[in-house]
Amino acid sequence: MAIKYDFDEIIPRKGTNSYKWDSSDNQGMLPLWVADMDFRTAPAIIEALQKRVAHGIFGYTRVPQAYYDAVTGWFSRRHGWDIDKDWIIYTSGVVPAMSAIIKALTVPGDKVLLQGPVYNCFYSSIRNNGCKTVSNSLIRTGDTYGIDFDDLECKAADPDVKVMILCNPHNPVGRVWTREELTRIGDICLRNGVVIISDEIHCELVYPGHEYIPFASISEEFQRNSITCISPSKSFNIAGLQIANIVCQDGQMRQKIDKAININEVCDVNPFGVTATVAAYNESEEWLSQLISYLKGNYEFMAGFCRKRLKEFPLARLEGTYLVWMDCRSLDMKSDELEERLKDESGLWLNAGSMYGTEGEGFMRWNIACPQSILAQGLERFCGFIENHSKEARILTPSSIPSMSINE
């Protein structure tokens, strides 16, 4: 496939009220933290939005049949998952969706199971609904992570655990769960009466050699016992347009979720989100394919750089997402301290691993969805910080201390 889109182009974002780029007073800050991309979105999306803007009236919007056709057509065509239009509840984002689903399916004091280290907003959604977090901590093995199924079985058996949040692909460790892993999770939850909420917002950002499997597509039983959250926001860089979908086959659960969505006042979406979603799913697949190739190249560039110059900072193998998980435990420094020192001393903003749960302490999350030249700058800044830190930490050995006579 000929390269058609220029992902190397540097598009200035400062001064655009970008949360990622305008949250620091340091004009030289290089932000590789917030999970949005520094690439212009697909041309078809831009053209569709420009046409909508030209109309000049931006009142309350009605979600048309074309929207549902675009969503269901995409998942059927690309992932073999047939979604009924009636299963879809649209809302303003996956995080509001998650919060509403927890509200619908639990009461304060219930427990919610997740797999740390994991996306930080899961914790706040659980806490804000008066529930308690239980973590089936992922197991780090070599350069990747796996699931402790014995621990999952034990924790799912707790009658106070009502739901489990699954992150597929997983943010921040970059795993794309296999069919076998998802099946074991689903079987355990079914046996124990635990409903699965599957956050699949990163589902399109999967690299060759790995396959995204929609959890609900595995079996009819799993589909009835799960709710899936999806959105084009990460894959097409349209998070600011605030659009997402909840997919729930079970009518009773869907009714409860719809009520919670209305209670939380996140039942309306804006016209630009609707327009962009249709253009993304109907006209932007080629752009997405080339984006994935570029992101894969960025990861390979970063991995090669680290093998040569940052050997003490191994990366988790990236199977999906554009978020790279770096092990910084060799520094013997807390993640939040490292985040602040990198910002203050090197002008590099990364996410502290500790924000993703206790399992993330000592790690940092990099966002590599940027032109490779920007990623290279970030890596050089990190290297410079490490070199300076090494100099500061160097301790004189007794043999290096000049001898002094008693008369001196």
Side-chain angles (χ1 to χ4, degrees):
M1 183 188 299
I3 300 300
K4 189 173 177 180
Y5 308 101
D6 184 8
F7 295 105
D8 285 319
E9 181 185 2
I10 296 176
I11 303 167
R13 297 185 65 190
K14 276 193 170 294
T16 64
N17 294 318
S18 162
Y19 188 74
K20 181 179 181 181
W21 283 85
D22 289 326
S23 290
S24 172
D25 293 331
N26 178 356
Q27 292 302 302
M29 183 68 72
L30 188 61
L32 300 179
W33 61 306
V34 176
D36 68 16
M37 299 191 281
D38 293 326
F39 309 124
R40 188 174 282 116
T41 193
I45 295 173
I46 296 171
E47 291 168 12
L49 290 172
Q50 288 172 335
K51 183 177 179 181
R52 182 66 184 82
V53 167
H55 180 257
I57 300 176
F58 313 114
Y60 298 116
T61 195
R62 171 184 164 275
V63 176
Q65 181 64 38
Y67 175 88
Y68 294 103
D69 290 345
V71 174
T72 59
W74 175 272
F75 279 89
S76 177
R77 180 175 73 251
R78 193 170 170 93
H79 303 298
W81 182 25
D82 293 325
I83 302 170
D84 190 295
K85 167 189 179 293
D86 292 337
W87 302 348
I88 296 174
I89 303 172
Y90 56 77
T91 186
S92 58
V94 165
V95 173
M98 190 72 62
S99 182
I101 296 166
I102 294 171
K103 181 187 289 291
L105 302 183
T106 66
V107 296
D110 283 346
K111 296 177 182 177
V112 177
L113 188 57
L114 45 67
Q115 296 175 305
V118 74
Y119 181 45
N120 54 295
C121 287
F122 292 174
Y123 297 95
S124 57
S125 290
I126 294 167
R127 184 174 59 250
N128 292 341
N129 282 290
C131 294
K132 300 174 184 177
T133 297
V134 178
S135 183
N136 166 230
S137 302
L138 298 178
I139 303 169
R140 184 174 173 84
T141 306
D143 66 349
T144 192
Y145 282 79
I147 297 168
D148 185 341
F149 284 103
D150 291 337
D151 180 70
L152 178 60
E153 186 85 58
C154 178
K155 287 174 176 169
D158 182 343
D160 290 334
V161 172
K162 304 301 183 185
V163 298
M164 174 180 177
I165 301 177
L166 174 67
C167 194
N168 178 41
H170 192 282
N171 168 18
V173 308
R175 276 300 316 276
V176 176
W177 304 117
T178 64
R179 183 178 296 274
E180 291 72 24
E181 289 169 320
L182 293 172
T183 299
R184 289 188 71 180
I185 292 170
D187 286 341
I188 289 170
C189 287
L190 268 178
R191 281 199 304 274
N192 291 283
V194 176
V195 176
I196 290 180
I197 307 170
S198 192
D199 173 6
E200 302 186 0
I201 194 171
H202 293 276
C203 66
E204 304 308 334
L205 301 170
V206 173
Y207 302 109
H210 306 281
E211 181 186 5
Y212 155 67
I213 307 291
F215 175 79
S217 72
I218 294 174
S219 72
E220 183 68 23
E221 291 82 3
F222 288 2
Q223 188 154 262
R224 284 198 302 268
N225 193 54
S226 66
I227 301 103
T228 303
C229 299
I230 51 176
S231 172
S233 62
K234 297 298 180 189
S235 305
F236 295 95
N237 202 27
I238 54 174
L241 300 184
Q242 298 187 314
I243 191 86
N245 294 294
I246 299 167
V247 182
C248 178
Q249 182 192 35
D250 184 272
Q252 288 185 329
M253 282 199 294
R254 193 167 64 248
Q255 188 175 28
K256 290 178 181 179
I257 294 165
D258 190 53
K259 181 178 179 180
I261 286 283
N262 281 272
I263 290 172
N264 285 6
E265 302 291 1
V266 287
C267 52
D268 291 319
V269 291
N270 71 74
F272 302 112
V274 173
T275 296
T277 297
V278 173
Y281 288 153
N282 286 353
E283 304 176 69
S284 304
E285 195 161 0
E286 182 186 38
W287 180 90
L288 177 63
S289 297
Q290 294 195 13
L291 167 72
I292 291 169
S293 295
Y294 190 88
L295 292 173
K296 181 175 184 288
N298 270 4
Y299 173 71
E300 290 171 347
F301 170 78
M302 183 176 183
F305 185 103
C306 291
R307 282 194 297 269
K308 291 179 182 178
R309 298 179 57 189
L310 292 167
K311 294 179 182 178
E312 300 301 313
F313 301 88
L315 307 179
R317 185 170 68 238
L318 191 64
E319 300 175 355
T321 83
Y322 49 70
L323 304 165
V324 178
W325 193 238
M326 174 184 274
D327 186 345
C328 299
R329 290 176 294 177
S330 62
L331 282 176
D332 195 25
M333 185 186 302
K334 295 289 187 182
S335 293
D336 55 356
E337 179 189 353
L338 179 54
E339 177 180 338
E340 292 306 314
R341 288 192 59 181
L342 280 168
K343 287 195 289 185
D344 294 342
E345 300 171 29
S346 301
L348 175 64
W349 198 338
L350 306 177
N351 284 119
S354 52
M355 73 186 295
Y356 306 105
T358 56
E359 301 93 340
E361 185 57 75
F363 292 79
M364 300 298 285
R365 191 188 79 166
W366 292 67
N367 176 351
I368 64 167
C370 58
Q372 196 169 107
S373 60
I374 291 179
L375 176 59
Q377 289 180 46
L379 289 165
E380 290 291 349
R381 291 189 188 195
F382 189 86
C383 267
F385 174 85
I386 297 305
E387 289 167 5
N388 289 335
H389 181 267
S390 297
K391 291 174 185 176
E392 293 172 9
R394 191 171 295 128
I395 300 172
L396 291 175
T397 62
S399 61
S400 68
I401 301 174
S403 61
M404 295 186 292
S405 71
I406 194 168
N407 294 321
E408 291 178 318

